[in-house]
Amino acid sequence: MFHRFSNPKYVLRSKSQNIKDFTSEIFKMAIYYATTKPISRTSGRSATASAAYRAGVKIEDKRSGKTHDYSKRGGVEMAFAFDKNLKKIDRSELWNKAELAENRKDGRTAREWVLAIPHELIPEDKDKRKDFKQNEGARVAVRFAKALAERYNVAVDVAIHTPDKQGDNRNYHAHIMTTTREFSRTDKGIELGDKAAIELSNTKRKALGLSSSTTEIKELRKEWENIVNTQLEKLGIDERIDHRTLKQQGIEQKPTIKIGWKASAMERRGMATDKGDLNREITADNQQLRDLQIEFAALTEAKTEIENVKEQAKGMQDFKAEYELFKQAQQQQKLVSQEIEKTHEKQQDRGIEP
């Protein structure tokens, strides 16, 4: 609601509207989450098993002889494996090549990115969610994956997942696996060559004139922000994501901790964990902090509104004083006019023309 007075500088907005704008500016942000980690044998993981689970398919690992069958798992909206030219790649062949390319016991066979997709980009209709052309969330994830493929000349495998049944129903996310070696196509089929630049040690990167891997990852997190925000803006959606930490954004809020897959599994089964309890405490503290910030905003706005009212009142007093002077001058002019009229009448009675 707007209240307008004769002086255009005296414009007051309702307190509720001011508070609403304050909270929307600070807290109305789409969730940002983008993290990466290698898939290595030291952690007991394989590229074939990881890819099969994320895509919800069956893959036979030729190196170990194991078969990883996740074809019955749910929660996978769609999955694509492709190169920098968006040309499709056979998933089983790709990740078997990745496994066979590494001889070391601690070899890194893949790298994974996990991205939170703003629910504003996900269609509400189930059929549309499974249609890549109509699922803007899947499209931005593929766009980021293509950027990775182009930047490092690697193959990528994208899987779009729906929220866990036990979690927030807006928590759509993407798993992007990339090869740790450069990808090429030959007469013999697909090949994996030298290690991609992001997988090199900082010593080797420095020798090549490259920044540290940490700096590189920060740049990629910023790239994800740019891709998502560009699409949100294009669709006329107000929300934005921000790759910066809460502290860098000037938001005094504690981040929750990563509880790990074991604790996550226990929590899903209804078993409380120490890390889960800590996150719940952090969430409660953050809510209390938000309430205090809103209250502070209300007090600040109230103070500003009082100052505006005072200024408006002063302006009204000045206007009233000017109006009183105007009325006095008008009254004086009326009296003078009456005196002149009387004088004219007397002159006419005496036969004198004015």
Side-chain angles (χ1 to χ4, degrees), residues 188-330:
K188 297 179 181 180
I190 64 174
E191 298 291 342
L192 296 178
D194 296 333
K195 281 290 186 180
I198 195 172
E199 305 301 331
L200 300 177
S201 67
N202 284 330
T203 301
K204 289 183 179 179
R205 289 179 62 84
K206 186 176 181 180
L208 294 172
L210 301 174
S211 60
S212 67
S213 57
T214 301
T215 300
E216 186 100 354
I217 289 171
K218 286 181 180 179
E219 292 175 359
L220 291 169
R221 284 168 52 83
K222 174 66 175 176
E223 179 66 15
W224 171 242
E225 174 192 312
N226 292 337
I227 289 173
V228 171
N229 286 344
T230 297
Q231 193 62 20
L232 288 169
E233 182 178 9
K234 181 179 178 181
L235 297 174
I237 299 172
D238 293 335
E239 282 78 1
R240 297 291 183 270
I241 63 173
D242 196 321
H243 76 285
R244 296 173 300 169
T245 63
L246 295 173
K247 185 176 182 180
Q248 289 171 335
Q249 294 178 55
I251 300 176
E252 295 299 327
Q253 188 168 282
K254 293 185 293 185
T256 54
I257 63 171
K258 184 175 180 180
I259 66 175
W261 69 269
K262 289 183 179 179
S264 296
M266 292 173 66
E267 290 281 340
R268 284 196 293 270
R269 292 196 298 269
M271 300 171 62
T273 64
D274 290 340
K275 290 183 178 180
D277 289 341
L278 179 57
N279 274 344
R280 282 183 279 275
E281 289 180 12
I282 291 173
T283 301
D285 289 344
N286 285 338
Q287 182 60 54
Q288 184 178 12
L289 178 60
R290 285 193 291 269
D291 291 341
L292 289 172
Q293 287 175 319
I294 292 173
E295 185 176 350
F296 177 77
L299 293 172
T300 301
E301 290 297 337
K303 181 180 179 181
T304 301
E305 195 165 330
I306 290 171
E307 293 299 323
N308 287 339
V309 170
K310 286 181 179 179
E311 188 176 1
Q312 173 224 332
K314 184 178 183 301
M316 293 297 289
Q317 289 173 355
D318 292 343
F319 172 78
K320 185 176 180 181
E322 291 176 4
Y323 182 65
E324 288 297 327
L325 290 174
F326 171 75
K327 286 203 303 182
Q328 290 176 13
Q330 218 177 24

Side-chain angles (χ1 to χ4, degrees), residues 105-233:
K105 292 181 179 180
D106 61 349
R108 292 183 175 185
T109 56
R111 174 171 290 277
E112 180 183 30
W113 284 83
V114 182
L115 311 171
I117 301 175
H119 73 275
E120 293 85 357
L121 296 178
I122 302 294
E124 293 184 7
D125 184 87
K126 291 182 178 180
D127 293 332
K128 289 183 178 180
R129 283 205 300 266
K130 291 188 177 296
D131 184 349
F132 178 71
K133 292 182 178 180
Q134 299 186 74
N135 191 326
E136 296 295 342
R139 292 171 69 85
V140 293
V142 167
R143 203 167 298 151
F144 180 73
K146 186 175 185 295
L148 294 174
E150 291 175 337
R151 184 164 182 159
Y152 302 111
N153 192 28
V154 294
V156 293
D157 194 351
V158 184
I160 309 300
H161 287 190
T162 58
D164 295 330
K165 292 181 180 180
Q166 294 83 359
D168 190 327
N169 61 7
R170 300 169 300 173
N171 185 25
Y172 290 91
H173 52 284
H175 292 267
I176 300 177
M177 289 178 58
T178 70
T179 56
T180 58
R181 293 179 177 273
E182 294 186 355
F183 175 88
S184 64
R185 295 179 185 271
T186 68
D187 296 337
K188 297 179 181 180
I190 64 174
E191 298 291 342
L192 296 178
D194 296 333
K195 281 290 186 180
I198 195 172
E199 305 301 331
L200 300 177
S201 67
N202 284 330
T203 301
K204 289 183 179 179
R205 289 179 62 84
K206 186 176 181 180
L208 294 172
L210 301 174
S211 60
S212 67
S213 57
T214 301
T215 300
E216 186 100 354
I217 289 171
K218 286 181 180 179
E219 292 175 359
L220 291 169
R221 284 168 52 83
K222 174 66 175 176
E223 179 66 15
W224 171 242
E225 174 192 312
N226 292 337
I227 289 173
V228 171
N229 286 344
T230 297
Q231 193 62 20
L232 288 169
E233 182 178 9

Side-chain angles (χ1 to χ4, degrees), residues 64-77:
S64 66
K66 295 181 179 179
T67 298
H68 308 289
D69 188 358
Y70 295 99
S71 54
K72 294 182 179 180
R73 70 154 296 183
V76 181
E77 290 285 11

